[in-house]
Amino acid sequence: MVGKNFSTSSLTGHVYLLTTAENISIDEVKRRQEDFSLLHDEIPTLGMDSRFHWIRYQVRNASPDTKNLIADIRYNELNDVCFYVLDSIDQVTYSREHFNRKTHISKKPVHSRFFSFPLRLKPGETVSVYWRLYRRESFIVVPAGLFDQEYFFTFNATYDFFLYLSLGVFTFTFLLSLLLYIFTKYRLLLLYSGYTLFYGLSIASMEGILTQYFHLNFSLLEDNTKNVFFCCLNFFVILFAVHFLEIRSFLGRKIYRLCIAQATLVLLFGVYLLLTPFTGTTSLILSAVAMFDMLLVLSLVITALLYKKRIAILYLIAMSPLFVSASWMILTIIFGVTRTAFFYQSFPFLPFFEMIVLGIGLGYKLIIDRNHYLIGLNTLQKQFTSSIVNTQDAERQRIAADLHDDLGGTLATIRRRLWDLRFKINNENLAKELDELDPLILKSSDDLRRISHNLMPPEFERIGFANSLKQFVTEIPSQPTKFQFVVSGDVQKMPLEVELNAYRIVSEMVQNIFKHANAARASVQLLYQSDFLRVVIEDDGNGDKVEKSSVLASGMGLKNSILRADYIGASLLRESGEAGTFVILDIPYRYISNDADEPNQDTAGR
């Protein structure tokens, strides 16, 4: 009964069904009224066969106005649809015959992707509406409805708006993911792009968009179009879940390979559907395979949760609504479970929620993987730096030992032989010249000892950084630069590796001042703070005036100092001006060894 304020009805409890093995006329149907049976479901399922199904319901206009209505079945997979309107004396007043899924929207009496027909009722008029539905070798559902004409177009516009919005998001996500994959070669992006592409194509095929709006009638696929898209979708769903959850890291290669094999079998089944005609059997098999795949993905998610993979929580949230809806739809096909309008109409929009949540998860995972990659890169850099520093120190130690033991001994021998020679000759002039050589040999020995000590300070490990540096600075000649050494605060003991590298940095800076700055005064200050040591080195030399001329001389030393500072986690600041050069070295007491930086790299997505 249609009242004055009528907008829509699902016709639940008002629809009757007659199923025949052969195609009969509307006149024959009128004579078989007693064979009709009442359908109680909101969205009846008529089984899976190639029979002809007649449905009937009556509509009475109880309002004082003429009603323009739309009789609608929101299902576009039918091979043949006929529509009849009979008046109160069972005379056909309106009929339209032989519409199917390929009938273009422009050739339909009501411009809709589904099967919709106009129904005009005068005040008090009662009519009987008959539909004849036929689908070759597949199940039929009957989401029948009756709409006020104005409400029908408003409802369709709203429904289509959100549908196209979802498809637009799918398209944008597909293109963005594919573009990012081209630049990054990150495998998950490629799988996600395939995921979104075939989700969008599956929904567009289910909703009749490909056929009605884009004239895409694949003669090779026919009714298999949607099923082939589903197979491709399941292929990407399994692969995405496997790599997104990193199942190889906690389930091993065997389970990983079984999942890959299942995804491959699904894809091969899609190829089979591509090459064979559509049958009800293949539709049932596909439904069973789809159910198995969903259970497989769900089991992987639950297993990942048991292994405390936090990313699995996001995946579970993403797939839960669609899993419930898809499971319900598959069960209606296989076991005839009752359908409801809410699940039926919401199904095309649930993937939108899933794609958004998984997109967030993928972005989060990309950030995590990037951080792991940077940590790994930083570790490799530190290992490389450690290798350089350790090699330099080993070489310094070797050179220091060679200078002290070999060259030092040679100079001592030369000095002793000169003294022996001095007392053997009677020539005073020659003796005087030999006497002049002795201070030079003594100076060379002192310089050699100082250079050797600078390369590898004696007893460094025992006396520590501060005392070794004090010893080094005080032994520097007061000409041309007079150095001052200052220690402030409580001396803190640091790891030997840190102290030795800090000593190398400071000694390099002091050597630069001594050789290049032409400074009259310079100072080295050790300022022990609560959580770090600040070393301040300053001079009143030429500064910027010698900056360009000393680049070759000091450039490598400065780079080496920066390398060592980074290695021990210190910061090095150097400022040079006309008033001189100012260097600050801040060394934190908390030192983290390179061995502690080993990353737990995640390379599953690559």
Side-chain angles (χ1 to χ4, degrees):
M1 183 178 294
V2 176
K4 183 176 182 180
N5 298 320
F6 174 80
S7 58
T8 182
S9 172
S10 63
L11 302 175
T12 304
H14 298 281
V15 178
Y16 293 81
L17 171 68
L18 170 66
T19 299
T20 62
E22 298 178 353
N23 185 13
I24 61 177
S25 65
I26 183 65
D27 294 327
E28 177 67 20
V29 171
K30 288 190 294 184
R31 291 192 291 269
R32 297 180 58 177
Q33 294 296 316
E34 67 279 0
D35 295 333
F36 278 86
S37 59
L38 180 64
L39 297 176
H40 298 281
D41 297 336
E42 186 176 3
I43 299 182
T45 301
L46 305 185
M48 182 177 293
D49 51 40
S50 295
R51 294 183 296 174
F52 296 87
H53 304 278
W54 289 84
I55 64 171
R56 183 199 75 195
Y57 52 86
Q58 284 189 334
V59 182
R60 178 173 177 269
N61 183 7
S63 71
D65 303 316
T66 299
K67 283 289 185 179
N68 292 310
L69 307 174
I70 300 293
D72 178 71
I73 292 182
R74 304 189 72 80
Y75 187 72
N76 54 26
E77 297 295 325
L78 299 172
N79 296 109
D80 188 62
V81 175
C82 297
F83 178 79
Y84 305 93
V85 178
L86 279 65
D87 60 16
S88 57
I89 58 174
D90 285 340
Q91 296 297 314
V92 177
T93 59
Y94 180 83
S95 67
R96 300 300 298 266
E97 298 179 326
H98 306 306
F99 291 83
N100 57 55
R101 58 185 294 272
K102 293 184 179 180
T103 304
H104 193 262
I105 191 171
S106 61
K107 297 180 180 179
K108 294 180 178 180
V110 177
H111 291 174
S112 169
R113 295 190 309 278
F114 307 105
F115 297 102
S116 306
F117 297 94
L119 185 61
R120 183 181 176 86
L121 296 181
K122 298 176 181 178
E125 184 180 6
T126 301
V127 297
S128 297
V129 176
Y130 289 82
W131 295 77
R132 193 196 69 183
L133 310 177
Y134 171 78
R135 188 180 184 191
R136 184 174 57 253
E137 296 190 16
S138 189
F139 70 95
I140 297 178
V141 295
V142 187
L146 187 66
F147 295 83
D148 174 77
Q149 180 174 285
E150 183 177 350
Y151 180 84
F152 174 81
F153 290 113
T154 302
F155 175 81
N156 273 7
T158 304
Y159 182 89
D160 287 351
F161 171 78
F162 287 105
L163 178 63
Y164 297 143
L165 177 64
S166 299
L167 294 177
V169 171
F170 284 140
T171 303
F172 174 78
T173 306
F174 161 69
L175 294 175
L176 180 61
S177 301
L178 187 61
L179 185 64
L180 289 175
Y181 169 75
I182 293 174
F183 286 102
T184 64
K185 303 302 179 184
Y186 191 75
R187 186 189 306 170
L188 267 178
L189 287 170
L190 178 63
L191 297 178
Y192 187 66
S193 66
Y195 199 158
T196 55
L197 172 65
F198 285 101
Y199 241 140
L201 288 175
S202 298
I203 293 173
S205 177
M206 289 175 56
E207 291 292 313
I209 294 174
L210 298 181
T211 301
Q212 297 296 321
Y213 294 148
F214 296 99
H215 307 277
L216 296 180
N217 291 317
F218 299 108
S219 56
L220 181 64
L221 295 177
E222 293 292 338
D223 290 337
N224 273 334
T225 302
K226 177 179 65 178
N227 294 335
V228 171
F229 288 156
F230 277 152
C231 288
C232 295
L233 172 61
N234 280 9
F235 171 77
F236 281 103
V237 166
I238 296 173
L239 290 185
F240 182 82
V242 164
H243 291 92
F244 186 81
L245 298 172
E246 307 162 22
I247 68 164
R248 187 163 48 181
S249 65
F250 57 90
L251 292 181
R253 290 190 174 185
K254 188 174 181 180
I255 301 299
Y256 170 81
R257 289 172 178 172
L258 287 175
C259 293
I260 299 300
Q262 173 60 22
T264 305
L265 288 175
V266 173
L267 188 62
L268 291 176
F269 187 66
V271 175
Y272 169 78
L273 293 177
L274 187 66
L275 302 176
T276 57
F278 175 82
T279 64
T281 303
T282 57
S283 183
L284 277 175
I285 294 174
L286 179 61
S287 298
V289 170
M291 189 67 186
F292 175 80
D293 291 343
M294 294 198 69
L295 292 174
L296 173 63
V297 173
L298 182 62
S299 65
L300 292 177
V301 173
I302 294 175
T303 306
L305 288 173
L306 295 177
Y307 279 89
K308 298 180 180 180
K309 296 286 185 177
R310 288 181 296 178
I311 199 72
I313 299 175
L314 200 62
Y315 203 114
L316 183 63
I317 294 173
M319 70 175 297
S320 294
L322 184 64
F323 176 78
V324 173
S325 182
S327 299
W328 162 81
M329 181 170 286
I330 293 170
L331 291 174
T332 61
I333 297 173
I334 300 177
F335 302 108
V337 177
T338 302
R339 295 179 178 233
T340 63
F342 173 77
F343 278 106
Y344 185 82
Q345 293 179 359
S346 64
F347 183 78
F349 303 102
L350 295 178
F352 176 76
F353 172 79
E354 181 177 357
M355 288 297 100
I356 293 297
V357 176
L358 286 182
I360 294 172
L362 182 57
Y364 170 77
K365 188 171 177 59
L366 283 171
I367 294 173
I368 296 299
D369 288 352
R370 175 180 174 273
N371 291 340
H372 285 167
Y373 173 76
L374 292 177
I375 291 173
L377 188 63
N378 184 52
T379 299
L380 289 175
Q381 183 179 6
K382 285 190 174 183
Q383 291 173 350
F384 179 69
T385 303
S386 176
S387 176
I388 293 176
V389 170
N390 292 336
T391 301
Q392 287 179 344
D393 288 341
E395 188 66 14
R396 284 171 179 264
Q397 188 172 4
R398 185 190 65 81
I399 294 174
D402 290 345
L403 288 175
H404 185 272
D405 298 338
D406 296 340
L407 189 56
T410 302
L411 287 174
T413 302
I414 293 173
R415 184 169 182 255
R416 188 175 64 252
R417 293 294 300 274
L418 286 175
W419 271 102
D420 292 343
L421 184 62
R422 164 72 177 78
F423 291 108
K424 288 181 180 180
I425 61 174
N426 296 320
N427 190 323
E428 292 185 4
N429 292 330
L430 183 58
K432 186 177 180 180
E433 290 182 7
L434 290 176
D435 290 339
E436 292 176 354
L437 288 176
D438 188 63
L440 294 177
I441 296 175
L442 272 177
K443 183 179 183 301
S444 298
S445 297
D446 291 340
D447 290 344
L448 179 62
R449 184 172 58 256
R450 180 172 53 82
I451 293 171
S452 177
H453 288 178
N454 290 343
L455 287 171
M456 182 53 64
E459 299 183 328
F460 183 89
E461 187 173 356
R462 184 180 65 84
I463 66 176
F465 170 66
N467 290 326
S468 296
L469 196 58
K470 179 180 180 181
Q471 187 180 78
F472 166 68
V473 173
T474 55
E475 288 181 358
I476 297 175
S478 58
Q479 296 295 330
T481 305
K482 184 177 181 180
F483 278 87
Q484 183 181 10
F485 184 77
V486 177
V487 178
S488 175
D490 296 331
V491 175
Q492 299 284 337
K493 183 71 174 176
M494 294 181 292
L496 177 63
E497 188 176 24
V498 176
E499 291 191 337
L500 185 58
N501 281 281
Y503 178 86
R504 299 287 186 216
I505 295 170
V506 177
S507 62
E508 179 65 38
M509 296 297 172
V510 171
Q511 291 285 0
N512 282 342
I513 294 173
F514 186 76
K515 294 177 182 179
H516 306 292
N518 296 325
R521 293 181 179 276
S523 66
V524 177
Q525 304 171 52
L526 303 187
L527 311 177
Y528 285 92
Q529 309 292 331
S530 59
D531 54 355
F532 69 95
L533 166 62
R534 170 164 291 178
V535 182
V536 179
I537 308 164
E538 54 184 333
D539 66 75
D540 59 358
N542 295 326
D544 284 337
K545 295 179 181 179
V546 297
E547 195 72 21
K548 295 182 180 179
S549 62
S550 64
V551 167
L552 293 178
S554 62
M556 289 303 296
L558 181 59
K559 290 179 181 178
N560 188 49
S561 297
I562 294 173
L563 188 69
R564 289 180 180 273
D566 290 339
Y567 176 64
I568 61 175
S571 63
L572 180 62
L573 173 66
R574 181 176 183 269
E575 294 182 355
S576 184
E578 294 183 0
T581 302
F582 183 76
V583 178
I584 295 179
L585 176 66
D586 287 339
I587 309 168
Y589 297 142
R590 181 177 177 270
Y591 172 66
I592 301 177
S593 174
N594 296 315
D595 296 335
D597 284 337
E598 292 294 334
N600 180 20
Q601 292 192 34
D602 168 25
T603 57
R606 291 194 177 276

